[in-house]
Amino acid sequence: MRQIEGLPPAPGEGLVTSQLLPRFPGSPPCACAGGEGKATGRARAAGAMGLSRVRAVFFDLDNTLIDTAGASRRGMLEVIKLLQSKYHYKEEAEIICDKVQVKLSKECFHPYNTCITDLRTSHWEEAIQETKGGAANRKLAEECYFLWKSTRLQHMTLAEDVKAMLTELRKEVRLLLLTNGDKQTQREKIEACACQSYFDAVVVGGEQREEKPAPSIFYYCCSLLGVQPGDCVMVGDTLETDIQGGLNAGLKATVWINKNGVVPLKSSPVPHYIVSSVLELPALLQSIDCKVSMSA
């Protein structure tokens, strides 16, 4: 867990006290001393954490709890195999998949008037035509799309250690899954990884009036759980949606999952905490609660 450098300490940091028993299973006892080391993060601003203990945690789904990027890569590899073995494409197969990946990254849709199946089939159709020329081949595009989609859903799984962490956390706090994206796409992922039973509520951005980072969707989540923004922590891998949204809504803390050690732009939102794995969360929550106890 990294501390955000150059920021004032959170309430309670630097106080030497006796150890507290951990509230979150698997986390170490908290001393709330200046030597907390990896169990300590810094608040974004003095006093930003408030004085209430954490009552709820909001989790992003894609690349936070499940490896969506890895599953998508597996899907692309299957499409490459299909194009090379069945249709005798050579290097064009990889070019087509690269083009589709770019189109997916730039994807923009309105949840009320766009069919995600049509949109993504069109990505494949355009990529094939751009690469091979000639007439559009909708049938081949559909074959590629559904192979990619089915393969990636097969590989969207909730790891056993993540399941165990969620199970233990839910004994202490309320858990909510908050994911942006098209309703159909996200619901299919949720079903594929069988994660719904680990949460008290599930909110899909495509089903709401606004998505992250709009404060309204965070307030809606709070209302579902019967908590206040200052009781909640947002955990996610995307600074512009997960972290900015949590800051916009005035949550107790934001936790950025930075698996690959990415250096953010200076203009990027600043999270309260940075971790390299979601599995670091129990110790971090214990640290936050410890600071609150020492500040009360």
Side-chain angles (χ1 to χ4, degrees):
M1 183 191 317
R2 278 183 48 201
Q3 300 176 0
I4 308 299
E5 297 180 357
L7 296 176
E13 270 193 20
L15 297 178
V16 180
T17 69
S18 60
Q19 289 190 334
L20 299 176
L21 292 177
R23 176 183 174 202
F24 299 96
S27 61
C30 180
C32 285
E36 280 180 299
K38 290 188 177 181
T40 302
R42 291 187 183 272
R44 186 169 182 270
M49 303 301 293
L51 293 180
S52 64
R53 300 179 85 187
V54 176
R55 295 183 59 200
V57 180
F58 302 163
F59 283 93
D60 173 52
L61 177 63
D62 294 301
N63 301 309
T64 295
L65 294 176
I66 60 174
D67 184 11
T68 304
S72 185
R73 285 192 295 271
R74 287 173 178 263
M76 292 296 183
L77 288 175
E78 289 303 310
V79 174
I80 290 171
K81 291 178 185 177
L82 170 75
L83 292 174
Q84 291 177 338
S85 62
K86 183 176 179 180
Y87 295 98
H88 308 295
Y89 286 21
K90 295 181 180 179
E91 65 275 2
E92 302 100 322
E94 293 187 20
I95 294 171
I96 288 168
C97 288
D98 288 343
K99 286 180 177 290
V100 170
Q101 193 61 55
V102 171
K103 293 176 188 294
L104 288 169
S105 69
K106 297 179 179 179
E107 194 169 74
C108 182
F109 62 91
H110 193 290
Y112 301 111
N113 61 16
T114 301
C115 171
I116 195 68
T117 298
D118 289 343
L119 177 64
R120 291 187 168 174
T121 301
S122 294
H123 292 338
W124 286 98
E125 185 176 21
E126 292 166 4
I128 293 167
Q129 191 171 25
E130 289 167 5
T131 305
K132 296 289 289 183
N137 191 338
R138 190 74 175 181
K139 184 177 180 180
L140 177 57
E142 289 174 347
E143 187 176 3
C144 292
Y145 168 62
F146 285 110
L147 176 59
W148 169 78
K149 174 184 171 179
S150 62
T151 302
R152 81 169 191 154
L153 285 174
Q154 289 170 15
H155 290 91
M156 287 184 179
T157 58
L158 207 57
E160 292 302 318
D161 50 6
V162 174
K163 291 179 182 178
M165 179 198 70
L166 293 173
T167 299
E168 292 302 314
L169 284 180
R170 200 173 176 196
K171 295 175 182 178
E172 298 293 336
V173 295
R174 307 205 73 186
L175 302 184
L176 181 143
L177 184 66
L178 175 55
T179 176
N180 275 3
D182 169 72
K183 172 183 176 179
Q184 176 186 329
T185 302
Q186 297 310 104
R187 288 292 175 183
E188 287 173 344
K189 293 175 185 176
I190 291 166
E191 181 178 358
C193 70
C195 68
Q196 184 153 355
S197 63
Y198 293 91
F199 294 92
D200 295 289
V202 173
V203 176
V204 175
E207 299 173 351
Q208 303 299 317
R209 182 172 57 86
E210 295 181 298
E211 295 188 314
K212 299 177 287 186
S216 63
I217 197 168
F218 289 88
Y219 300 151
Y220 174 66
C221 293
C222 290
S223 70
L224 286 179
L225 300 185
V227 295
Q228 297 299 315
D231 299 327
C232 305
V233 173
M234 177 68 211
V235 182
D237 71 300
T238 306
L239 290 171
E240 291 75 19
T241 54
D242 301 316
I243 304 309
Q244 186 63 66
L247 297 173
N248 291 346
L251 301 193
K252 172 180 284 295
T254 54
V255 181
W256 182 34
I257 309 294
N258 185 11
K259 296 179 182 179
N260 300 316
V262 174
V263 178
L265 299 174
K266 290 184 178 180
S267 59
S268 296
V270 180
H272 296 93
Y273 298 93
I274 302 175
V275 296
S276 59
S277 167
V278 72
L279 297 176
E280 296 177 51
L281 193 62
L284 175 55
L285 294 175
Q286 178 67 22
S287 174
I288 294 172
D289 270 0
C290 180
K291 295 188 185 77
V292 169
S293 297
M294 294 303 100
S295 300

